[in-house]
Amino acid sequence: MRRSKDKTQQQLSVDMFQSREYISKQESGERKIPPVTTKYFIEKYNNPWLALETVDEYIGWGLTRLNGPAANNDNYFLQLMVEKELQEAIEVMTKIKWTDSLYTDRSVELQGIQKSAESLANVVHFSTVYLAALCDNYGINWLKIWKKHHSDLKAKGYINE
């Protein structure tokens, strides 16, 4: 991200009140980027990709940018994938019947529940990457989107804070 903003390690070290060597170690992966530094960059540069990469780095799993051979880094492709995954998830979810005894031995039911969970994981991943691309391409503030989302959840009584 530093390079995309045309900053040298020295310039960044001055901005961050850190040594250039420390910045170098963070960039090489020798040192983890502290959460406070990540928050600073996300707020200052509105970089959703950094937010996603940080979660992945700190907890060992997370939502990552699609950069494999099957992903053509086209935003329309992302939109189509979100639509496809949503449709598949709805199809699978409608087959799950919630009951008081979800934990049964019937392997057919458990396979359906497993398939539903996997399908929803795809929806979460593709839709989050799509949201990050929207924010990145159109200058939408990533943090404001999530703060508003949490505020809406609270106002509707879905969460307590």
Side-chain angles (χ1 to χ4, degrees):
M1 193 191 76
R2 171 187 61 78
R3 287 187 203 106
S4 72
K5 299 297 178 189
D6 292 326
K7 286 194 175 246
T8 65
Q9 286 183 344
Q10 186 62 42
Q11 290 169 323
L12 183 60
S13 70
V14 171
D15 286 353
M16 298 298 304
F17 303 106
Q18 296 177 347
S19 71
R20 190 207 55 77
E21 292 78 15
Y22 189 65
I23 300 293
S24 176
K25 287 179 181 183
Q26 289 174 345
E27 288 183 358
S28 70
E30 193 174 329
R31 295 255 195 262
K32 284 189 175 184
I33 299 174
V36 69
T37 302
T38 302
K39 187 174 186 238
Y40 168 82
F41 276 108
I42 293 167
E43 288 173 351
K44 183 167 182 166
Y45 297 111
N46 186 34
N47 189 320
W49 304 110
L50 180 60
L52 297 177
E53 289 165 13
T54 301
V55 171
D56 189 45
E57 179 180 338
Y58 272 89
I59 62 174
W61 66 269
L63 307 172
T64 56
R65 205 184 277 232
L66 304 174
N67 60 5
N72 61 12
N73 294 320
D74 174 274
N75 293 325
Y76 184 63
F77 164 79
L78 266 178
Q79 182 175 335
L80 292 176
M81 290 306 297
V82 172
E83 291 172 8
K84 174 186 163 288
E85 295 299 337
L86 281 167
Q87 288 170 351
E88 286 179 16
I90 289 169
E91 224 174 87
V92 173
M93 285 175 59
T94 59
K95 296 176 183 170
I96 303 296
K97 302 299 176 217
W98 287 84
T99 65
D100 289 339
S101 57
L102 277 177
Y103 304 101
T104 65
D105 318 348
R106 292 178 268 180
S107 62
V108 173
E109 288 179 23
L110 291 176
Q111 286 175 356
I113 293 168
Q114 176 74 27
K115 185 171 175 138
S116 180
E118 291 167 357
S119 184
L120 288 169
N122 288 339
V123 168
V124 169
H125 195 120
F126 280 103
S127 59
T128 303
V129 169
Y130 183 69
L131 173 60
L134 287 175
C135 289
D136 192 26
N137 289 323
Y138 293 104
I140 299 167
N141 190 294
W142 174 262
L143 290 177
K144 284 183 182 176
I145 289 289
W146 286 108
K147 285 179 183 176
K148 182 176 181 336
H149 171 69
H150 282 273
S151 176
D152 291 348
L153 290 175
K154 185 178 178 184
K156 292 174 183 175
Y158 293 125
I159 61 172
N160 294 323
E161 286 190 42

